[in-house]
Amino acid sequence: MDERFTSRDSVPNVEELIRATPFFNGLPDSVVERATAHIVSRTHPPNQVILLENDWGSSVYFLLEGWVKIRTYNLDGKEVTLNILGSGEIFGEMAALDEVPRSTDVITLAPTTIGNLPAQDFVQLIHTEPLAGIRLAQLMARRLRQVNRRLRLRESDSTSRVADIILFLAEGQGKQSPEGIEIPNLPHRELSSLSGLARETVTRVLSKLEKKGLIKRDREILCIPDVNALERLMV
């Protein structure tokens, strides 16, 4: 298994990456330092399983670099992608708070650096710092809104559903560039699973969006030149 374990001190920017996560935004430096004193960073290659469903939750994970997908399976044994998370996101918090096994798998989609925070340190932070509790509530509320939005669009046409997934990824992890908002050009099977559409349908819609100039793609990056124009496609 190609996995590297590092301490905070051995990777110069880990401290900076940890403090840049939205969860720690606004917390005093002394609180962040104390809360993350035992955090350990790990680097993983693409397509590596980080967590398995039914594992017990001994850590909360901060995604410092890269992308992961949250996966489960339906009753027919078909893989279902529930979410895709990028830099600055956290996962594994539910198992830590509920003291129950994990409910999903987590798999890397790209070279990824993750900070592992002991669950007891995370729970202690939530208990002692009201702002940390607010940040966690905001995270849960945002994810619930995203799920509700996707459920409402399940009866929409294929173009609206693919556009919504692209906008969903851009909202969470898009990066501004001179050309527009950039997100990783994910495999069509991931967009298919997220949207609930056949992969062939996703491929056809992406080609149509590209011909209209609403997206631009190269090997690694998908760029949205005009977010508002893409939003106007949704019905």
Side-chain angles (χ1 to χ4, degrees):
M1 179 181 295
D2 182 9
E3 179 180 49
R4 289 178 289 157
F5 295 76
T6 59
S7 69
R8 289 166 57 176
D9 294 335
S10 63
V11 181
N13 66 339
V14 164
E15 179 81 21
E16 179 182 344
L17 291 172
I18 291 169
R19 292 179 181 275
T21 59
F23 180 80
F24 287 118
N25 182 36
L27 270 67
D29 289 345
S30 59
V31 171
V32 178
E33 181 70 26
R34 185 170 61 251
T36 62
H38 302 121
I39 203 166
V40 175
S41 67
R42 291 172 168 84
T43 59
H44 304 269
N47 302 313
Q48 185 171 88
V49 176
I50 305 298
L51 296 178
L52 283 172
E53 187 174 352
N54 295 321
D55 283 350
W56 283 91
S58 60
S59 296
V60 175
Y61 301 86
F62 289 80
L63 188 49
L64 305 179
E65 293 179 326
W67 291 73
V68 301
K69 68 175 177 179
I70 312 299
R71 176 186 72 183
T72 189
Y73 292 90
N74 63 20
L75 294 177
D76 296 325
K78 181 181 178 182
E79 178 180 316
V80 178
T81 300
L82 299 176
N83 205 346
I84 291 178
L85 305 179
S87 302
E89 294 275 6
I90 70 173
F91 58 92
E93 74 287 347
M94 292 176 59
L97 292 170
D98 291 346
E99 298 183 346
V100 296
R102 310 286 184 187
S103 58
T104 57
D105 301 338
V106 180
I107 302 96
T108 59
L109 293 173
T112 300
T113 301
I114 294 173
N116 294 23
L117 178 67
Q120 62 268 27
D121 291 359
F122 181 78
V123 173
Q124 177 68 15
L125 175 63
I126 297 300
H127 283 168
T128 58
E129 290 294 329
L131 184 55
I134 291 172
R135 291 285 179 265
L136 182 60
Q138 290 171 335
L139 170 69
M140 298 298 186
R142 178 167 60 85
R143 289 181 179 172
L144 181 59
R145 285 196 303 271
Q146 291 169 343
V147 169
N148 288 339
R149 176 177 170 178
R150 287 165 59 190
L151 287 174
R152 288 197 303 270
L153 283 166
R154 282 288 172 170
E155 303 303 319
S156 298
D157 64 273
S158 58
T159 300
S160 295
R161 289 162 69 176
V162 173
D164 177 64
I165 293 303
I166 294 172
L167 291 167
F168 157 69
L169 295 172
E171 177 186 353
Q173 300 302 326
K175 294 182 179 179
Q176 185 68 52
S177 78
E179 303 298 322
I181 302 295
E182 294 183 346
I183 62 174
N185 189 19
L186 296 173
H188 293 185
R189 66 176 179 274
E190 307 299 350
L191 299 178
S192 168
S193 188
L194 274 170
S195 63
L197 297 166
R199 184 163 54 180
E200 294 79 7
T201 302
V202 170
T203 299
R204 187 168 60 252
V205 171
L206 289 173
S207 296
K208 181 173 72 173
L209 295 178
E210 192 167 28
K211 287 178 181 178
K212 290 183 175 181
L214 295 170
I215 62 172
K216 298 178 181 178
R217 292 182 290 171
D218 60 27
R219 185 171 182 176
E220 302 292 336
I221 299 296
L222 185 152
C223 180
I224 310 166
D226 186 342
V227 169
N228 292 330
L230 190 59
E231 286 179 339
R232 286 194 290 271
L233 277 184
M234 298 170 59
V235 295

